[in-house]
Amino acid sequence: AQSVTQLGSHVSVSEGALVLLRCNYSSSVPPYLFWYVQYPNQGLQLLLKYTSAATLVKGINGFEAEFKKSETSFHLTKPSAHMSDAAEYFCAVSDRTGTASKLTFGTGTRLQVTL
Amino acid sequence: DAGITQSPRHKVTETGTPVTLRCHQTENHRYMYWYRQDPGHGLRLIHYSYGVKDTDKGEVSDGYSVSRSKTEDFLLTLESATSSQTSVYFCAIRGSADNQPQHFGDGTRLSIL
């Protein structure tokens, strides 16, 4: 069974500062990994995905993530935070088994961006 | 945006009543999923479907049933709602390749009093 750990349920950064949201996973097979963002009262929007191609993945809104197999990590970064980045972020791993490749989500990290 | 519509968007009902939530897609995707979102738990899978009339249980399926009689519609039913089922429910869809991401609807906020 796979699992996802997101370290830090709340992260606060200043506008213009580096954003780093941590995600560690466990999986019995080479994983597919995803980051989603959720704005208030909305569904989840895909930020980026890792599906065993390049280990450094670029997504929307200037975000990127690096797959590190040795560390079982898939941390999300953005060089310079913007006020509009304030949202909740979820990391997810796909089990890649069975008929539906089910996702397991982390518990989320709420990002606050301050002036 | 992926063509996913959830209805209703908000519902308040009483304990013991039946409730049905609908997920409708216009993408002709094979896979559909129902999740619930609760503070401190992230999203947890309730049930999923891999085709018409093909469904299976997820992590938190007790108290829920689903049906899929057409490709485009996936229904989630609470046969007798309980207060512990107060939550925000999300539907997601995915295409056939297993490296494709799931795309989510806007959710249904369900309150059971």
Side-chain angles (χ1 to χ4, degrees), chain B residues 38-65:
Chain B
D38 304 288
H41 290 278
L43 276 79
R44 293 179 291 174
L45 182 64
I46 305 171
H47 280 281
Y48 63 96
S49 170
Y50 47 96
V52 173
K53 298 186 179 179
D54 292 323
T55 65
D56 206 347
K57 296 179 180 180
E59 177 189 2
V60 290
S61 60
D62 286 350
Y64 302 95
S65 62

Side-chain angles (χ1 to χ4, degrees), chain B:
Chain B
D1 290 344
I4 310 170
T5 304
Q6 291 187 233
S7 58
R9 292 294 315 280
H10 302 272
K11 187 173 182 65
V12 179
T13 191
E14 294 182 348
T15 301
T17 60
V19 177
T20 295
L21 309 183
R22 181 184 184 227
C23 178
H24 178 78
Q25 61 146 330
T26 58
E27 306 295 321
N28 201 36
H29 280 346
R30 176 182 179 188
Y31 297 101
M32 299 185 75
Y33 308 80
W34 276 108
Y35 294 88
R36 60 178 290 172
Q37 182 179 25
D38 304 288
H41 290 278
L43 276 79
R44 293 179 291 174
L45 182 64
I46 305 171
H47 280 281
Y48 63 96
S49 170
Y50 47 96
V52 173
K53 298 186 179 179
D54 292 323
T55 65
D56 206 347
K57 296 179 180 180
E59 177 189 2
V60 290
S61 60
D62 286 350
Y64 302 95
S65 62
V66 290
S67 66
R68 191 170 179 197
S69 59
K70 299 184 289 185
T71 298
E72 59 266 34
D73 288 326
F74 192 32
L75 304 181
L76 177 70
T77 297
L78 291 65
E79 299 289 349
S80 178
T82 68
S83 58
S84 64
Q85 294 175 310
T86 292
S87 187
V88 182
Y89 291 85
F90 287 99
C91 173
I93 64 174
R94 184 177 69 80
S96 296
D98 71 348
N99 64 354
Q100 291 181 337
Q102 294 182 19
H103 296 282
F104 286 80
D106 288 333
T108 294
R109 186 172 297 275
L110 178 63
S111 296
I112 300 165
L113 307 178

Side-chain angles (χ1 to χ4, degrees), chain A residues 33-46:
Chain A
L33 294 157
F34 305 87
W35 274 101
Y36 287 87
V37 60
Q38 185 181 32
Y39 300 101
N41 299 314
Q42 294 187 23
L44 277 69
Q45 178 182 1
L46 180 71

Side-chain angles (χ1 to χ4, degrees), chain A residues 21 61 64 67 79-80 83 89 105 111:
Chain A
L21 304 182
N61 301 340
E64 63 182 34
F67 172 69
S80 177
M83 296 296 289
Y89 293 80
F105 284 85
L111 177 65

